[in-house]
Amino acid sequence: MELLRAHISQTLLAALSRAGVSAGSKAVLVVDGALSGALSLGVEAAALRSAGVERVVALAELRSVQHSATLRVVVVLRPTLKEAKAVVDWLVVAASLGHPVHVLFVPRRSLVCERVFEDAGVSASVVLSALPIDILPLDDDLLSLELDNAAFRQLYLEKDPSCLHSVAKALLKLQALHGIIPKILGKGTNAHTLANLMLRMRREVDASSSSPESSSSLSSPSSSNSPFNVFPPKMDFDSIIILDRTVDLVTPLCMQLTYEGLVDEVFGIKTTFVQVNESFIATPANQQQQQATATASTNTPNSPIKTKKVSLNPVIDKLYTQLRDLNFAMVGAVLNQNARRIQDEVDTRHDAKTISQIKDFIGKLGGLEGDKAFLKLHTSIAEEITKRTQDPDFNKFLELQQNVLSGNQIPSQLDYLEEMVDKQAPLLQTLRLISLYSVVCGGIKAKQLELLKREIIQTYGIHHLTTLQNLHSLSLLTSLPQTSAFDTPLTVGTGPTIAPLKPSFANLRKPLAVIVDDIDEQNPTDIAYVYSGYAPASVRLVEAATGVGKFLGVGTAPIKPAVRMGGTASPARGARKERKVSWEGVEELARVVPGGAAFEMEQGLTDPNFVARSSVDKERKTTLVLFLGGCTSTEVSSLRFLSKGKGGRQFVVLTTGMLTGSRMIDSLVEKVDNVTGEL
Amino acid sequence: VFLAESFELKAAGQQVNQQIHKWKESQRLFAESKDCGFEVKALEDHMKLVALQGTLEREIGEMFVGMTVTETVYKLLVLGHANRAAKVKTDLKVPEKRFAWLKVKALVEQRNWDALDKVLSRQIRR
């Protein structure tokens, strides 16, 4: 992902120099709050400083910037009305002094925003341009377009495919950096549209890039500014799997049980940044204090509860790397272990006798301090999450979730759903659980559904009539056909928008082995550990297509978990590992999974001779998994788990945004401004 | 069709007080399509609620319009208008269970432990 980071920083720096910012010049970079995290992923502060940026200001503090004749101001923002208006308001006051203000829209400008500037009559004093940064490397194996919830709502509720354009563009850029991805697998209508769009765009690029000689001379993508010139003759990814989110709506609805997942559920992670209570962060001052007194107590100066943004950056924060994919049940132990290790290392100073030993210790001190700070942060976060997980409501939620998933139908489940509404539980939680129930069970009995809907409307407000319709049209909330018994596997799709005959979760349970009973949270052997027994169906599908992982449910007969676990260890399975990425052999499986048809296509490489070379020197193949409409961090965790496995294949995730069930539902909830009720 | 109706509904929802005819309009639209019986009824109930809230505002002198059914009942209970709460309950068919929850919550809010004790012991005996 270094290539991508370099690309982002280059793009930004090039844009800055176009804006007249050069080394030594006094420039102020004003960054939209939503983007500051994103930019910091790609560009180091030092690089900005050497490029002539004197300071970086958040858009909210724009007023503090005094425009003067010598100052160059560059504003970076998302093309949204609200932000554009804020800039215009400031411009009107600041008047047109000195250099024009450069406004960079990420990832592209929009007509609406341009109009805002025109209408205010300030277009003379600004230069508007686009800053094409779309893919953000959240981690080495996780790329995100950070389109947030909007993508999910647009694609699946409003059926507005315009964001596919951005995704296709992003894919092209990725291929310009990492080489053509020859094999395309996908499932779902939107995935298919995207694949076609991307192929068409690529043909346009191929057509415009002239002769093969010129393309080979330009083969280093990092040196060319425009990424769409040529595709380098390499193949970092040998295949891509595109999945519609509707393929697996169950997974995001479930409460995530990995550390990262829970942090996201409880605090909300935004481009690797998370807002936490300020007291969680060890400030340098009290670290020193601790150092002086050498006590283990972590009393921070008590300030009024303030939140602060901290970065969960896996590159710096090694502890987080250790923790994030673990089932939360394990987090305490690992934290404890780390605390011990740090304490032990601190204690070594008592043993330091010789000068060189002391020197060694001093050298390590810096690292230890850092470790300590991270330890404190994660301990505090874990404590906060524990508070939540010990809440009876949370446990009820979980209990219901696990029962519903494993197919234990208990009549009291519906009663509990009703009770949630009666107790005026948070709307999102309620809807999430109700949807989960409905999706998994294939629907809710018409009479009960009616009752529930009435309860919801009477409790949360009439405007949720639309919310309920939204859920319905996504088949998240459907009624069972009246005549059928409770355990009928198929629902006749009352939500005709998804599929006329919706394959239900009940049919998936066995062939995809989504429920694994004997999970070991300590030493996970299967991806099901991320939900303490439920394996995300989406990831199972990826497993099926690539033939990695414990799950080798090729064909139709479900293999018993015990057999599967023994199976992968034996060398006889070794041959399977070289299986190419394809739906072949798992067509049946792909068919029962909802969300539209599966498809497979190939795209030719620019340099045909290249294939032979690449397959030799690359022993670990990499597959790009693209989630249209967002993915959860548990899915990322389980794919990471697969990468670590013996499958010989690595996975890199590209998503339109990070999702949690609440965020997914939230994007479907109708917002009314003058709501008096608590939402 | 669905979307158009939704927007209509949204527009209606935003100007709560005087726009009853808007609701009527969307109700008519819902009525046209077959499987929207629920939506029609919900809107009807809502109009009933707003009318009821209007009367309550006049009689009690507190704000009610804009609240949901549950909130209305709760507020009435907290203010000690048990009879009126019961009326809203029967008019809008609030299930017994939810009403009981609200009652308990309201009693807690009032710090009326004696009454709470009575309600609970009655529940247990049942």
Side-chain angles (χ1 to χ4, degrees):
Chain A
M1 296 310 110
E2 284 313 308
L3 279 178
L4 200 57
R5 279 202 192 105
H7 176 77
I8 290 180
S9 113
Q10 262 173 25
T11 318
L12 181 63
L13 294 180
L16 283 178
S17 73
R18 270 203 304 282
V21 177
S22 56
S25 71
K26 278 171 73 185
V28 175
L29 188 63
V30 182
V31 181
D32 182 357
L35 281 166
S36 58
L39 285 184
S40 68
L41 285 174
V43 191
E44 279 166 29
L48 282 179
R49 226 168 296 131
S50 65
V53 175
E54 198 177 50
R55 63 199 173 108
V56 179
V57 183
L59 187 59
E61 289 150 28
L62 187 61
R63 297 198 175 284
S64 71
V65 179
Q66 299 292 324
H67 200 1
S68 73
T70 50
L71 198 65
R72 285 175 188 274
V73 180
V74 178
V75 185
V76 181
L77 72 169
R78 287 262 184 221
T80 53
L81 266 180
K82 202 174 131 239
E83 273 72 38
K85 278 197 176 123
V87 176
V88 167
D89 287 349
W90 172 76
L91 271 174
V92 171
V93 179
S96 52
L97 281 166
H99 302 287
V101 173
H102 284 256
V103 178
L104 305 174
F105 291 107
V106 177
R108 59 182 156 179
R109 32 207 273 199
S110 77
L111 271 175
V112 183
C113 290
E114 283 172 22
R115 273 296 290 276
V116 171
F117 284 92
E118 273 169 35
D119 290 353
V122 289
S123 44
S125 54
V126 285
V127 177
L128 305 177
S129 55
L131 185 62
I133 295 177
D134 41 14
I135 316 179
L136 293 169
L138 296 189
D139 195 355
D140 287 341
D141 56 1
L142 175 60
L143 310 171
S144 172
L145 295 171
E146 292 294 312
L147 295 174
D148 295 333
N149 309 325
F152 182 75
R153 190 186 164 98
Q154 274 173 14
L155 274 177
Y156 302 110
L157 181 66
E158 290 160 7
K159 311 255 171 268
D160 170 6
S162 58
C163 75
L164 289 181
H165 186 265
S166 324
V167 182
K169 260 206 146 126
L171 268 181
L172 271 196
K173 183 193 271 183
L174 204 61
Q175 293 185 80
L177 293 170
H178 290 280
I180 292 289
I181 305 170
K183 187 93 180 174
I184 305 169
L185 246 67
K187 179 148 174 60
T189 335
N190 282 315
H192 198 248
T193 317
L194 172 74
N196 284 330
L197 190 63
M198 198 263 285
L199 287 177
R200 204 173 67 224
M201 280 170 135
R202 190 196 152 204
R203 274 199 296 278
E204 281 165 20
V205 173
D206 281 349
S208 61
S209 73
S210 47
S211 59
E213 296 93 63
S214 74
S215 66
S216 57
S217 67
L218 266 168
S219 61
S220 165
S222 44
S223 64
S224 70
N225 244 332
S226 158
F228 297 147
N229 285 343
V230 76
F231 300 101
K234 57 179 180 176
M235 191 167 69
D236 289 348
F237 303 105
D238 75 334
S239 52
I240 176 171
I241 301 179
I242 310 172
L243 295 176
D244 268 26
R245 184 69 266 177
T246 41
V247 164
D248 176 16
L249 285 170
V250 175
T251 304
L253 287 173
C254 295
M255 182 59 78
Q256 309 180 70
L257 292 175
T258 57
Y259 182 64
E260 189 171 40
L262 274 168
V263 173
D264 202 8
E265 299 271 0
V266 175
F267 297 100
I269 303 176
K270 204 157 168 35
T271 52
T272 75
F273 283 86
V274 64
Q275 294 271 3
V276 293
N277 193 319
E278 201 175 40
S279 66
F280 289 5
I281 305 154
T283 58
N286 67 48
Q287 264 180 48
Q288 273 159 19
Q289 197 187 344
Q290 280 167 31
Q291 184 66 24
T293 52
T295 51
S297 85
T298 47
N299 265 332
T300 42
N302 271 331
S303 49
I305 298 169
K306 254 166 118 183
T307 57
K308 207 172 171 184
K309 251 185 174 178
V310 281
S311 154
L312 296 176
N313 190 331
V315 182
I316 310 164
D317 189 345
K318 294 280 176 264
L319 183 59
Y320 183 58
T321 320
Q322 247 181 61
L323 288 174
R324 59 180 172 180
D325 298 331
L326 292 176
N327 188 297
F328 190 68
M330 289 306 302
V331 166
V334 174
L335 281 174
N336 192 1
Q337 205 181 311
N338 271 283
R340 285 246 170 88
R341 182 183 58 81
I342 292 175
Q343 193 59 49
D344 283 353
E345 288 194 26
V346 170
D347 285 343
T348 54
R349 84 199 141 113
H350 298 302
D351 310 330
K353 298 264 153 48
T354 65
I355 303 275
S356 68
Q357 274 175 328
I358 292 174
K359 225 177 179 176
D360 264 8
F361 179 74
I362 303 286
K364 266 196 285 182
L365 211 56
L368 282 178
E369 286 302 313
D371 287 355
K372 238 182 175 171
F374 288 129
L375 185 67
K376 164 132 178 57
L377 170 69
H378 290 294
T379 314
S380 311
I381 291 179
E383 257 169 29
E384 194 66 29
I385 294 173
T386 313
K387 249 183 242 161
R388 182 72 71 91
T389 52
Q390 281 169 349
D391 187 51
D393 283 340
F394 180 88
N395 282 312
K396 268 255 170 96
F397 187 103
L398 217 57
E399 188 189 321
L400 189 81
Q401 168 182 321
Q402 303 298 40
N403 273 328
V404 166
L405 285 174
S406 53
N408 295 339
Q409 301 273 5
I410 307 166
S412 70
Q413 283 168 353
L414 274 173
D415 290 344
Y416 179 64
L417 291 178
E418 205 183 311
E419 196 184 310
M420 273 182 90
V421 184
D422 289 353
K423 282 201 286 193
Q424 290 166 289
L427 173 75
L428 292 181
Q429 295 295 330
T430 313
L431 288 179
R432 187 171 169 178
L433 208 52
I434 292 175
S435 306
L436 178 69
Y437 182 88
S438 168
V439 171
V440 172
C441 300
I444 300 176
K445 267 190 196 162
K447 217 175 128 200
Q448 278 161 323
L449 182 68
E450 188 120 331
L451 189 78
L452 267 177
K453 274 159 106 179
R454 259 182 52 128
E455 297 260 299
I456 289 170
I457 286 190
Q458 292 202 344
T459 300
Y460 300 111
I462 184 76
H463 52 282
H464 291 301
L465 202 54
T466 329
T467 308
L468 292 173
Q469 278 183 359
N470 291 346
L471 291 175
H472 181 84
S473 70
L474 273 166
S475 298
L476 280 171
L477 194 60
T478 51
S479 66
L480 280 175
Q482 229 137 14
T483 46
S484 71
F486 202 63
D487 55 349
T488 314
L490 282 182
T491 46
V492 177
T494 21
T497 41
I498 297 290
L501 196 71
K502 188 166 73 73
S504 88
F505 188 78
N507 296 350
L508 283 181
R509 212 175 270 138
K510 264 191 179 167
L512 276 182
V514 287
I515 300 301
V516 178
D517 291 329
D518 48 350
I519 42 127
D520 184 355
E521 282 155 1
Q522 220 151 350
N523 299 300
T525 51
D526 186 272
I527 55 164
Y529 84 95
V530 296
Y531 284 106
S532 291
Y534 162 70
S538 52
V539 183
R540 279 287 195 240
L541 208 60
V542 174
E543 277 185 83
T546 54
V548 298
K550 300 281 164 198
F551 168 72
L552 296 164
V554 185
T556 45
I559 315 164
K560 288 229 156 52
V563 178
R564 270 191 282 116
M565 297 203 176
T568 30
S570 72
R573 297 271 182 182
R576 286 201 40 86
K577 283 171 195 155
E578 283 306 301
R579 206 174 146 263
K580 56 179 183 184
V581 178
S582 158
W583 293 125
E584 209 177 296
V586 288
E587 296 97 341
E588 187 58 25
L589 210 60
R591 207 178 50 78
V592 295
V593 177
F599 64 91
E600 208 176 314
M601 43 175 103
E602 314 239 350
Q603 62 173 334
L605 295 164
T606 22
D607 179 4
N609 303 326
F610 164 69
V611 184
R613 263 186 287 136
S614 74
S615 52
V616 179
D617 58 14
K618 262 228 146 50
E619 70 230 48
R620 277 183 88 77
K621 298 215 163 70
T622 307
T623 298
L624 185 68
V625 182
L626 167 55
F627 287 93
L628 282 177
C631 77
T632 61
S633 59
T634 36
E635 283 167 319
V636 178
S637 292
S638 24
L639 284 169
R640 270 186 202 135
F641 177 78
L642 292 179
S643 297
K644 271 186 247 150
K646 297 191 192 83
R649 184 169 284 282
Q650 285 205 300
F651 293 96
V652 171
V653 178
L654 174 62
T655 171
T656 52
M658 297 307 287
L659 205 64
T660 65
S662 303
R663 253 177 262 155
M664 183 171 101
I665 299 288
D666 189 45
S667 71
L668 301 175
V669 168
E670 207 55 41
K671 306 281 192 306
V672 178
D673 294 334
N674 57 353
V675 198
T676 47
E678 49 180 283
L679 284 173
Chain B
V1 189
F2 260 113
L3 268 182
E5 283 165 342
S6 318
F7 286 131
E8 185 125 7
L9 191 67
K10 213 169 122 193
Q14 272 164 358
Q15 316 152 21
V16 175
N17 272 339
Q18 284 83 30
Q19 302 294 326
I20 290 177
H21 69 275
K22 270 254 170 90
W23 287 325
K24 286 234 170 82
E25 178 77 357
S26 41
Q27 192 182 16
R28 193 180 51 74
L29 281 169
F30 276 128
E32 275 172 15
S33 60
K34 257 186 217 150
D35 30 278
C36 291
F38 173 74
E39 279 77 4
V40 173
K41 249 184 38 221
L43 280 169
E44 202 178 291
D45 280 355
H46 188 64
M47 283 185 271
K48 226 191 269 173
L49 169 71
V50 175
L52 211 60
Q53 283 171 335
T55 0
L56 288 174
E57 279 189 3
R58 256 174 278 125
E59 287 173 9
I60 302 172
E62 295 259 352
M63 283 289 289
F64 281 101
V65 172
M67 293 178 119
T68 65
V69 177
T70 306
E71 286 160 356
T72 310
V73 173
Y74 178 68
K75 188 163 181 181
L76 282 171
L77 286 171
V78 171
L79 291 172
H81 296 282
N83 291 335
R84 291 200 175 96
K87 184 178 181 308
V88 176
K89 178 192 140 205
T90 40
D91 278 8
L92 294 164
K93 302 188 202 75
V94 173
E96 207 54 60
K97 244 198 250 170
R98 174 141 49 99
F99 193 70
W101 272 111
L102 288 171
K103 209 164 176 177
V104 170
K105 250 190 158 174
L107 289 174
V108 171
E109 170 74 32
Q110 289 174 324
R111 305 276 184 274
N112 193 345
W113 308 124
D114 291 346
L116 184 62
D117 186 50
K118 250 184 250 165
V119 171
L120 290 180
S121 54
R122 208 178 333 128
Q123 288 281 332
I124 292 161
R125 246 180 284 134
R126 241 186 247 165

